[in-house]
Amino acid sequence: MDYKNICEQTIEVVKLVGEYIREEREKFNASKIEVKGLNNFVTHVDKNSEIKLCAGLENIVPEAGFIGEEGTTQKKGDEYNWIIDPVDGTTNFIHGLPPYAISVALAKNNVPVVGVILEVASKECFYAYEGGKAFLNGKEIKVSKASKLSDSLIATGFPYTDYGRMDEFMETLTFFMKKTHGLRRLGSAATDLAYVACGRFEGFYEYGLHAWDIAAGIIILKEAGGIVTDFNGKDDYLFGGEIVASNSDVHEEFLTVVHDFMEKRKK
């Protein structure tokens, strides 16, 4: 499988859908919002974007199935599957507030091997493929060189449906507010991971996530020199609902803090 060629073709599909999203944002009517659950919104733009992405991607790897947030297709692949979030940051999109991103990954046996993230408003396209490098609009990117949490800017995402670990999570916020350069909450996990990959953030952590939120960001970050684990330092992050991602140099220190607050205190 030629991942480089697949990545290039995926970028073209994603950029076309990005144009559609930009056009729809200009004439967006909030009355068209649907509610899937508590603070969980969907619009016709999410659904139509996923349909358009699937149609284009199916031509690139015909045998691949799809794992999409909106479930517009039920096709499953034996080895390869596209993992898609057509609009990561729907709440931001609804309010006209960047970032909101398209996140597309091709996974082989549940391991991302190609990833493309387009931050729609800024037209920043992050991409990578297994064995290659990571790029932003054609320029190679690398993670930052910060080696201590005290020199780091940390990103996170606030829980919007699962509040069962809120007390522990709030303690992490207090710690990172006091011990780092600061915290940022952008509202798009895909964008957060892309920003770690290009050195804007040193680390990102969140719980309550889905595979489509992070699949593309995982391969982009890894190819940029970063590292990804779950809260226990293991590999159960794609479908495990939690992630700790960093520039690798601060990972041990970063993970220790997240683990101590989020895991040890559950026992």
Side-chain angles (χ1 to χ4, degrees):
M1 192 74 73
D2 185 348
Y3 293 147
K4 181 175 186 289
N5 181 258
I6 290 171
C7 186
E8 291 170 350
Q9 293 183 68
T10 303
I11 291 168
E12 295 306 311
V13 171
V14 168
K15 285 184 175 180
L16 285 173
V17 178
E19 290 297 332
Y20 164 75
I21 294 173
R22 274 188 288 274
E23 292 170 2
E24 290 298 312
R25 178 52 247 175
E26 290 298 316
K27 55 185 179 183
F28 184 73
N29 186 335
S31 66
K32 297 181 180 180
I33 299 169
E34 298 177 30
V35 179
K36 295 191 290 185
L38 179 64
N39 297 325
N40 192 4
F41 307 110
V42 64
T43 72
H44 71 282
V45 180
D46 298 77
K47 294 179 179 179
N48 290 343
S49 295
E50 185 169 292
I51 291 170
K52 292 175 183 292
L53 287 167
C54 291
L57 297 170
E58 190 165 28
N59 295 324
I60 300 173
V61 186
E63 67 269 31
F66 295 90
I67 301 171
E69 179 174 14
E70 306 309 330
T72 58
T73 176
Q74 301 303 312
K75 179 183 177 183
K76 293 293 181 288
D78 294 329
E79 185 177 22
Y80 287 97
N81 283 282
W82 294 101
I83 305 178
I84 301 169
D85 193 336
V87 183
D88 185 55
T90 296
T91 301
N92 285 359
F93 173 83
I94 289 170
H95 290 273
L97 173 70
Y100 41 91
I102 300 172
S103 177
V104 173
L106 179 66
K108 178 181 180 182
N109 297 322
N110 292 330
V111 177
V113 292
V114 173
V116 177
I117 294 171
L118 176 67
E119 204 293 284
V120 177
S122 67
K123 298 185 180 181
E124 288 191 324
C125 186
F126 301 82
Y127 53 93
Y129 57 90
E130 186 178 76
K133 300 175 181 178
F135 299 89
L136 164 56
N137 291 346
K139 182 179 179 180
E140 184 181 354
I141 55 174
K142 291 285 188 182
V143 295
S144 83
K145 296 180 179 180
S147 60
K148 298 184 294 184
L149 270 182
S150 58
D151 295 328
S152 299
L153 184 62
I154 303 299
T156 190
F158 299 160
Y160 60 91
T161 57
D162 179 4
Y163 299 114
R165 303 166 77 180
M166 277 298 293
D167 289 344
E168 297 91 335
F169 178 71
M170 294 302 293
E171 291 187 61
T172 68
L173 299 183
T174 299
F175 180 93
F176 290 126
M177 284 180 200
K178 294 178 177 180
K179 302 295 185 179
T180 71
H181 280 189
L183 278 166
R184 299 292 183 267
R185 193 270 187 173
L186 302 182
S188 165
T191 304
D192 288 326
L193 286 166
Y195 283 8
V196 178
C198 71
R200 295 172 184 171
F201 295 141
E202 275 67 45
F204 165 67
Y205 73 108
E206 188 173 347
Y207 79 92
L209 293 168
H210 300 281
W212 47 74
D213 300 314
I214 59 175
I218 287 169
I219 180 65
I220 295 170
L221 177 57
K222 286 183 175 180
E223 292 297 333
I227 189 170
V228 181
T229 66
D230 59 25
F231 287 178
N232 288 303
K234 307 297 184 182
D235 294 332
D236 186 22
Y237 45 80
L238 183 59
F239 295 99
E242 58 186 43
I243 190 170
V244 179
S246 78
N247 69 352
S248 76
D249 287 339
V250 302
H251 197 81
E252 184 175 352
E253 186 183 4
F254 185 31
L255 173 62
T256 297
V257 174
V258 174
H259 177 269
D260 284 352
F261 282 110
M262 298 299 294
E263 295 297 314
K264 285 185 179 180
R265 300 187 185 193
K266 291 195 304 183
K267 299 175 182 178

